[in-house]
Amino acid sequence: ITLAKEIKTKLGTLLQKPDSAFDLIIPYPEKPEKPAKAQKTSPDEALQWRESLEKLLQNAYGLTSFRSFLRSEFSEENIEFWIACEEYKKIKSPTKMAEKAKKIYEEFIQMEAPKEVNIDHFTKAVTMKNLVEPSVSSFNEAQKRIFALMEKDSLPRFVRSEFYQGLIK
């Protein structure tokens, strides 16, 4: 009985509301971190990213910059899913492909996934059907949807950001 009371007391303490709103403040990076790994790009090259998400993603500095920008907005799940799909397509071993497919599904596709991407039910169903026998194209439909979403939504925000504006000057 005393052990149960002790656990109940500790749980009660943990579940209490914070005393002030300051306990709930999440640190927010003011600006995206500058990409360290990739070679900085020319302003002319960066200007081309406005027109094409594909060009942006093909450029190592562009990809790193875009990912960092999305991270600063707490919306990096789409680019992380896209990168995971690109890595998945390079896998040759059926065993490793099946393992990676399961990991991608659990991380990005399944309901309540830690980094669940926003895809419609039809695309989700097609993807799940494709995963019965994983192949290089298993995530193609979902990846296309996420690419379109980033192109329509994330890219325009990135292009308007101070960070991008600094790149093209």
Side-chain angles (χ1 to χ4, degrees):
I1 288 179
T2 47
L3 180 60
K5 274 187 175 178
E6 191 177 322
I7 291 172
K8 191 175 176 183
T9 306
K10 285 182 180 176
L11 268 176
T13 307
L14 286 173
L15 295 174
Q16 281 180 351
K17 290 182 181 171
D19 292 337
S20 70
F22 291 111
D23 294 343
L24 298 172
I25 293 175
I26 299 168
Y28 181 80
E30 290 288 320
K31 291 181 182 167
E33 315 147 22
K34 290 219 167 137
K37 294 177 233 162
Q39 182 81 27
K40 192 167 182 190
T41 196
S42 72
D44 288 340
E45 198 166 1
L47 274 169
Q48 294 177 12
W49 301 344
R50 283 182 178 172
E51 313 306 320
S52 168
L53 179 59
E54 207 167 312
K55 283 184 179 173
L56 168 69
L57 298 177
Q58 287 170 353
N59 179 293
Y61 191 81
L63 175 61
T64 306
S65 302
F66 188 56
R67 190 175 187 179
S68 178
F69 168 75
L70 292 176
R71 190 175 297 126
S72 77
E73 291 198 329
F74 301 101
S75 63
E76 71 266 28
E77 66 281 345
N78 289 339
I79 191 67
E80 288 184 9
F81 172 70
W82 186 87
I83 291 168
C85 291
E86 289 299 297
E87 291 169 353
Y88 173 80
K89 291 177 191 174
K90 295 174 186 167
I91 298 171
K92 301 289 182 234
S93 154
T95 308
K96 286 186 178 167
M97 186 174 273
E99 289 169 8
K100 180 75 170 176
K102 183 179 187 292
K103 188 176 175 195
I104 291 172
Y105 174 78
E106 290 173 351
E107 192 171 351
F108 300 103
I109 306 287
Q110 76 180 10
M111 297 254 311
E112 305 297 319
K115 297 177 182 177
E116 187 177 0
V117 290
N118 187 5
I119 54 173
D120 57 274
H121 293 292
F122 176 77
T123 305
K124 194 174 276 200
V126 167
T127 303
M128 288 168 67
K129 185 174 163 260
N130 291 344
L131 293 177
V132 173
E133 289 182 40
S135 71
V136 177
S137 61
S138 291
F139 293 101
N140 282 3
E141 284 306 309
Q143 189 180 20
K144 280 181 200 165
R145 295 269 188 242
I146 293 305
F147 182 90
L149 191 66
M150 289 191 299
E151 195 169 43
K152 191 180 81 178
D153 183 51
S154 307
L155 182 61
R157 285 198 323 271
F158 175 65
V159 167
R160 287 190 304 268
S161 73
E162 276 183 43
F163 181 75
Y164 177 80
Q165 293 302 316
L167 288 175
I168 59 173
K169 287 180 181 159

